[in-house]
Amino acid sequence: MSAIDDLGVLDDIKERMDKSIESLGMSISTVRTGRPSASMLDRVFVDYFETPTPLQQLASVSIQGQSIIVNPFDKSVLKDIERGIVDSDLGMTPSNDGEKIRLNVPELTEERRKEFVKLAKSIGEDGKVALRNIRRDSVDDVKKLAKDKEMGVSEDQEKDALDAIQKITDKYVKKMDEMVANKEKELLKV
């Protein structure tokens, strides 16, 4: 397995899977729970001069009690921000006072909680697909190295590398499952 280790195949798979875990963490944090959070607005895009622009680039977001306050840097964008929030899948109605937008975060109904659990599971499944794609690419790399006679990779080294890739993949899939399960517990907690 030394030729495979020397080429960094296992280091590469760990690095790419760490990025997938990080991406899942950011995506799953945008799923709404009963408490207000600025990250709930991470998936909101505003049509700013006919270009979809992330809300964070157009306004500051703060939390006050059970409300999220969106304070635009440019007041002329207020209506566009309001439209972007309405068009998103947040399920909240913004109130515009001419200066800022206030979003009251109501307690989630049981039905809405279950919808968000489904969304979290879907995001988790997308993350697992990304992990499987990384595993497939790494397995292909190892098999190419094994076919290349100049590399001097034996069948045993190839098998060991494939086993190591599978163990790494299993570890990261378990991490993703735990992240989704934690989000599910958080969502179902009343």
Side-chain angles (χ1 to χ4, degrees):
M1 200 157 97
S2 61
I4 292 168
D5 282 345
D6 292 345
L7 293 172
V9 173
L10 298 180
D11 290 337
D12 179 54
I13 190 175
K14 286 178 185 175
E15 182 181 324
R16 290 174 63 195
M17 286 188 178
D18 281 335
K19 287 179 184 173
S20 290
I21 290 283
E22 189 178 311
S23 174
L24 175 73
M26 288 190 310
S27 295
I28 212 162
S29 72
T30 65
V31 177
R32 189 177 144 204
T33 59
R35 299 179 306 276
S37 164
S39 66
M40 290 166 57
L41 301 178
D42 285 352
R43 290 182 295 162
V44 174
F45 284 84
V46 178
D47 196 20
Y48 184 60
F49 292 109
E50 299 178 11
T51 305
T53 308
L55 177 64
Q56 289 80 358
Q57 292 180 7
L58 300 172
S60 65
V61 179
S62 60
I63 307 298
Q64 286 182 352
Q66 278 296 107
S67 298
I68 299 175
I69 307 300
V70 179
N71 202 352
F73 303 130
D74 177 8
K75 303 298 180 212
S76 66
V77 190
L78 212 54
K79 289 282 183 197
D80 295 330
I81 291 174
E82 190 174 9
R83 195 172 316 111
I85 292 170
V86 169
D87 292 344
S88 71
D89 62 350
L90 289 176
M92 291 188 281
T93 305
S95 64
N96 178 350
D97 67 3
E99 291 287 316
K100 58 188 169 233
I101 294 175
R102 180 179 301 272
L103 293 166
N104 289 321
V105 181
E107 289 297 318
L108 295 175
T109 63
E110 188 66 28
E111 180 181 319
R112 196 76 172 131
R113 287 177 191 278
K114 288 179 181 175
E115 285 177 33
F116 284 131
V117 166
K118 283 182 187 175
L119 178 61
K121 286 181 179 180
S122 171
I123 291 170
E125 193 55 43
D126 291 345
K128 285 192 229 175
V129 167
L131 290 182
R132 288 192 289 268
N133 288 338
I134 293 167
R135 178 189 64 197
R136 185 194 62 228
D137 293 346
S138 298
V139 166
D140 290 346
D141 290 346
V142 167
K143 288 183 178 180
K144 282 180 192 170
L145 289 173
K147 279 186 180 177
D148 188 355
K149 298 300 176 195
E150 293 177 19
M151 296 305 296
V153 177
S154 71
E155 286 182 29
D156 288 341
Q157 289 173 326
E158 177 187 3
K159 186 178 180 328
D160 290 346
L162 295 177
D163 288 345
I165 289 171
Q166 187 58 49
K167 283 180 185 169
I168 292 168
T169 303
D170 291 344
K171 181 177 98 175
Y172 281 92
V173 166
K174 186 176 178 193
K175 268 187 195 178
M176 281 192 174
D177 286 340
E178 288 171 3
M179 290 170 74
V180 171
N182 288 340
K183 189 65 173 188
E184 188 177 341
K185 271 188 230 166
E186 185 181 344
L187 282 165
L188 294 176
K189 185 170 67 174
V190 178

